[in-house]
Amino acid sequence: MQDFGLNLIAILFLLVFLIMLVWLLVRVGSIIELVKSERNEKVDGVWAQKQLANFTDEELEELKQQLNLNS
């Protein structure tokens, strides 16, 4: 009877381990997809447009002045 209890504990442990492993693989896969999509947006220029849309007019003028000073 004691062997049955140990086997049950081992099976439950393996089941939990496999569930955690699958969860980890799904998370890593979604992170990889996110990085790929961000990389594609950067290549397409969409990323830059989104970043510029977050700036106010004053901040854009400030950036232009800083770029003029640097060049």
Side-chain angles (χ1 to χ4, degrees), residues 36-52:
K36 283 182 182 177
S37 68
E38 284 183 6
R39 194 174 294 155
N40 289 340
E41 284 181 358
K42 288 180 183 178
V43 169
D44 293 339
V46 175
W47 180 81
Q49 290 174 355
K50 286 181 182 178
Q51 295 300 315
L52 286 175

Side-chain angles (χ1 to χ4, degrees), residues 51-63:
Q51 295 300 315
L52 286 175
N54 293 332
F55 285 105
T56 63
D57 291 338
E58 295 85 18
E59 290 172 329
L60 286 175
E61 284 300 320
E62 218 174 280
L63 285 173

